[in-house]
Amino acid sequence: MNLRTLLGERLQAALQEAGAGDAPAIVGPATRPEFGDYQANGALAAAKRLGMKPRDLASRVAAAADLSGIAARCEVTGPGFISLTIDDDCLSEALADSRIEPVGSGERVVIDYSHPNLAKEMQVHHLRSTIIGDAVARILDALGYDVIRQNHVGDWGTGFGRLVAHLNDIGEDSDALGDLERFYTEASERFTSDPAFADRARRVVVDLQGGDPATLERWQRYIDISMSHCQAVYDRLGVGLNPGHVRGESAYRDDLDGIVADLDAKGLVVEDDGALCAFLPEFKETDGRVAPIIVRKSDGGYLYHSTDLAAVRYRTQTLHAKRVLYVVDARQSLHFKQLFALAKRAAYDAGASLEHHRFGMMLGNDGRPFKTREGSGTRLLDFLDEATVRARRLVEAKNPELDGKEMDRVARAVGIGAVKYADLSKNRTGDYVFDWDAMMSLEGNTAPYLQYAFARIQSLFQRGQVDAAALTGKPTIREVEEHALALQIARFQEALEQVATTVMPHHLCTYLYDLAAAFMRFYERCPVLDSDVRNDRLLLCRQTASTLSRGLDLLGIETVDRM
RNA sequence: GCGCCCGUAGCUCAGCUGGAUAGAGCGUCGGCCUCCGGAGCCGAAGGCCACAGGUUCGAAUCCUGUCGGGCGCGCCA
């Protein structure tokens, strides 16, 4: 249940009854505790339009609103705010039924994320897209959307010419493919230093695009190996991606001629300097130049604009997506603006919402793009190794009695969880500073703090020999701390829906952190095991734990019973 | 040259269709354990929300400009 939506509907009806037409109620969390749990600001804005005194309108709205069973108090405050306090029985009901409401109604959403370049191994800069995309996909899934994950891997393009040419030269049985990074570097070096090799590489590109079977076979072999590296990273990260989600650039290679012919037929492209370009007026700059969208190079080759257009068409017309989410680096902003504009002109969007959800770079403490501690590289696997090692060191120091197997599991959950949370909790459109010590400090808004809160509740059940699953009934709310905690638990749905609309998982992180804080205050003030109302409080504990665990799970973060 | 993004406490970050006295964590200072994990709780100090105008009953939020920082801009993706 979404209390905020419910209050919004009831108050909007009251606004209408009070003569304010279809003015929105504008319900949000109260800004201060003395103003209750929620506040509605809509009467202020509406009163102005109607030429009424805000307080008068607010009073009429408050009187007209049907809030029985929802709000225990509804009163006008200040210049015309409506302050609302949720009824304790209502909270109690909400706790008893904590299912996620499927507001997605099966609407199909395609989400494009991770999309590593298969020419080399996954790098640290692939982390954000992979993690954010995974969390968003999980959350939309949980809300009842029909989510289709698309891993648009970079498996096609001129770069593969040199790789396959190098593979041709050294023999495909060579174990050189065991180290993709080295292989890639060698191929690149030869390409710049050896003109004859560069020529061969360019011919390979032609062969590839022409569909030469032997060349395609070599290429496929390279792709398979590279893809298995990616899968290892995905498994390690615990994200839901698998080979079934892969639909890379090469999947659209046979569509490109048709796309470009179609753009031409629609009069959207012209030849310029030998290249085929679209010049859309909205990309006209103040100096009169128009930024071009090149869909075919002067040598006849295609670029990623064409591939991406084909992908848009596939996602909207074949997959029938209503919404296509691109979780991609902010540096691609112009590309996506152009892509979406051209796709609309060509009617490839089929009315779907095409959305680029950008993110900034991960910076080190020095304010420069992040590198692993050694400064040598940015291989994602090395980075995850370091995270796990650091987490293990931490957990060993705090809780040395965990045995080897459990220690491994905890180190993984804490290490990977901390990395993910550090990223997800700061989903700004700009860059963010990654700091090992801050994210592993186990204090403040971190994954370990939330995991700890969960573990602490499990420990409480264990100490009290409580079978949490067997607890029944609806808790009666008595103390203000209980009310605050119950309210926060009930707001889970709001947090999820907020992520669904904004595609910003940090709203869920903030929610969970506030939930943990509300629990800590409750726990400090309200004894649980040695209490006359033990069952009620145990129920609150159980719902806190399950909400924490579900929320973290939707972020792709594991919980552990002891840590 | 043109364009996009960012500028909030010493540091790292929130601030949800414009709302009441701008919030957390770290760090600093001060309280709280006969009590369920102190990895905690309570409190204090710390802000011209980069700057200047504008719109509004009301602006960190919207508009314009200036100054800082990041990124991007014809045949890589």
Side-chain angles (χ1 to χ4, degrees):
Chain A
M1 180 173 61
N2 188 329
L3 281 171
R4 189 176 172 179
T5 306
L6 191 59
L7 289 169
E9 286 166 3
R10 298 293 173 88
L11 287 169
Q12 184 159 358
L15 268 163
Q16 187 140 30
E17 201 172 317
D22 57 357
I26 314 184
V27 174
T31 51
R32 307 179 66 77
E34 59 264 38
F35 301 137
D37 298 330
Y38 289 88
Q39 64 184 49
N41 306 334
L44 273 169
K48 196 197 163 200
R49 282 213 325 275
L50 297 167
M52 292 176 66
K53 285 186 180 167
R55 274 199 74 102
D56 290 350
L57 179 61
S59 301
R60 283 164 65 174
V61 171
D66 173 18
L67 298 170
S68 58
I70 305 170
R73 281 171 44 216
C74 169
E75 53 201 25
V76 178
T77 52
F81 298 104
I82 297 173
S83 296
L84 301 149
T85 304
I86 303 301
D87 190 275
D88 283 332
D89 291 337
C90 174
L91 288 178
S92 183
E93 295 281 346
L95 287 178
D97 178 10
S98 56
R99 283 173 301 184
I100 296 172
E101 197 181 332
V103 292
S105 307
E107 182 180 289
R108 182 159 285 187
V109 180
V110 163
I111 173 163
D112 177 333
Y113 65 105
S114 192
H115 42 249
N117 180 352
L118 294 189
K120 36 198 310 195
E121 282 184 49
M122 283 185 82
Q123 308 294 311
V124 167
H125 68 263
H126 291 112
L127 193 65
R128 298 207 79 182
S129 177
T130 306
I131 289 175
I132 296 169
D134 182 58
V136 170
R138 287 170 190 255
I139 291 163
L140 290 175
D141 222 18
L143 284 171
Y145 290 90
D146 180 11
V147 178
I148 298 184
R149 295 160 170 83
Q150 291 275 279
N151 194 358
H152 191 79
V153 299
D155 61 357
W156 200 245
T158 50
F160 287 93
R162 68 197 65 165
L163 293 168
V164 172
H166 190 45
L167 192 56
N168 282 336
D169 288 357
I170 65 174
E172 62 180 296
D173 294 332
S174 157
D175 59 1
L177 286 175
D179 186 344
L180 274 189
E181 280 305 287
R182 219 181 68 201
F183 187 88
Y184 174 85
T185 307
E186 283 171 6
S188 298
E189 277 168 6
R190 290 186 71 194
F191 189 79
T192 48
S193 66
D194 180 351
F197 176 78
D199 277 345
R200 290 205 296 281
R202 278 188 274 269
R203 269 203 303 281
V204 168
V205 173
V206 175
D207 289 343
L208 258 183
Q209 288 177 344
D212 173 63
T215 309
L216 277 174
E217 198 178 314
R218 292 266 161 78
W219 166 81
Q220 189 64 53
R221 180 166 154 69
Y222 189 91
I223 295 301
D224 289 345
I225 290 171
S226 187
M227 203 55 236
S228 70
H229 276 81
C230 289
Q231 193 57 48
V233 172
Y234 294 150
D235 293 344
R236 184 75 181 286
L237 265 176
V239 296
L241 286 171
N242 63 50
H245 301 122
V246 173
R247 189 172 172 90
E249 294 171 340
S250 65
Y252 302 100
R253 63 187 188 240
D254 294 334
D255 299 344
L256 303 181
D257 286 338
I259 288 279
V260 169
D262 185 56
L263 293 174
D264 194 24
K266 286 171 174 161
L268 291 168
V269 290
V270 293
E271 202 175 301
D272 193 82
D273 269 351
L276 211 52
C277 305
F279 293 96
L280 302 184
E282 56 263 51
F283 297 103
K284 186 172 186 172
E285 291 163 356
T286 48
D287 57 3
R289 285 173 49 243
V290 178
I293 305 171
I294 302 177
V295 296
R296 195 179 65 200
K297 298 192 285 180
S298 50
D299 67 2
Y302 294 109
L303 296 164
Y304 75 151
H305 258 121
S306 313
T307 307
D308 282 353
L309 279 169
V312 168
R313 195 173 64 169
Y314 172 76
R315 290 162 183 182
T316 59
Q317 297 183 3
T318 303
L319 296 179
H320 302 291
K322 291 282 174 279
R323 222 179 150 193
V324 185
L325 312 180
Y326 292 84
V327 184
V328 185
D329 193 313
R331 287 176 296 191
Q332 301 295 328
S333 294
L334 177 60
H335 167 69
F336 281 108
K337 270 186 189 156
Q338 294 180 321
L339 174 69
F340 297 162
L342 188 52
K344 281 189 183 115
R345 296 290 169 86
Y348 294 160
D349 62 328
S353 169
L354 307 176
E355 307 168 24
H356 175 210
H357 294 284
R358 77 185 78 197
F359 52 82
M361 283 187 296
M362 206 170 132
L363 304 177
N365 269 327
D366 54 1
R368 312 216 327 242
F370 180 87
K371 289 198 167 26
T372 45
R373 168 157 275 205
E374 297 70 28
S376 52
T378 56
R379 282 193 356 159
L380 194 41
L381 271 180
D382 296 341
F383 172 77
L384 297 179
D385 281 345
E386 182 164 356
T388 312
V389 166
R390 281 171 182 266
R392 191 189 182 93
R393 219 155 41 208
L394 195 76
V395 177
E396 272 172 353
K398 292 293 179 191
N399 202 347
E401 67 267 23
L402 294 178
D403 65 34
K405 235 178 177 170
E406 191 172 4
M407 181 66 79
D408 287 344
R409 200 168 64 244
V410 173
R412 178 195 143 98
V414 171
I416 301 294
V419 164
K420 287 184 174 179
Y421 195 87
D423 199 306
L424 292 169
S425 62
K426 288 190 277 279
N427 187 1
R428 314 186 69 203
T429 49
D431 301 338
Y432 86 102
V433 177
F434 182 89
D435 179 55
W436 284 113
D437 295 327
M439 73 175 221
M440 289 280 182
S441 77
L442 304 176
E443 287 172 2
N445 191 7
T446 65
Y449 173 80
L450 298 176
Q451 289 167 320
Y452 169 71
F454 176 83
R456 193 170 179 182
I457 297 170
Q458 300 311 305
S459 161
L460 180 76
F461 291 145
Q462 196 174 22
R463 171 178 274 263
Q465 297 182 311
V466 175
D467 178 3
L471 293 169
T472 54
K474 284 181 285 198
T476 301
I477 314 283
R478 296 176 184 81
E479 306 294 330
V480 289
E481 289 83 2
E482 294 174 326
H483 178 90
L485 176 58
L487 174 67
Q488 184 64 12
I489 293 170
R491 298 190 56 190
F492 188 46
Q493 178 84 22
E494 283 173 44
L496 298 181
E497 290 182 27
Q498 199 175 7
V499 176
T501 34
T502 60
V503 192
M504 289 189 174
H506 80 274
H507 288 122
L508 179 54
C509 295
T510 304
Y511 166 82
L512 292 172
Y513 181 61
D514 289 344
L515 174 61
F519 176 77
M520 292 297 181
R521 280 191 287 270
F522 154 81
Y523 192 66
E524 193 78 18
R525 174 78 207 292
C526 305
V528 177
L529 294 178
D530 185 22
S531 160
D532 295 342
V533 292
R534 173 181 157 120
N535 194 63
D536 289 340
R537 290 183 175 165
L538 282 171
L539 279 165
L540 276 168
C541 290
R542 184 186 70 183
Q543 291 314 103
T544 302
S546 71
T547 306
L548 278 173
S549 162
R550 269 199 300 182
L552 285 170
D553 179 61
L554 292 178
L555 294 171
I557 297 170
E558 295 176 46
T559 44
V560 289
D561 289 346
R562 297 198 299 165
M563 60 183 278

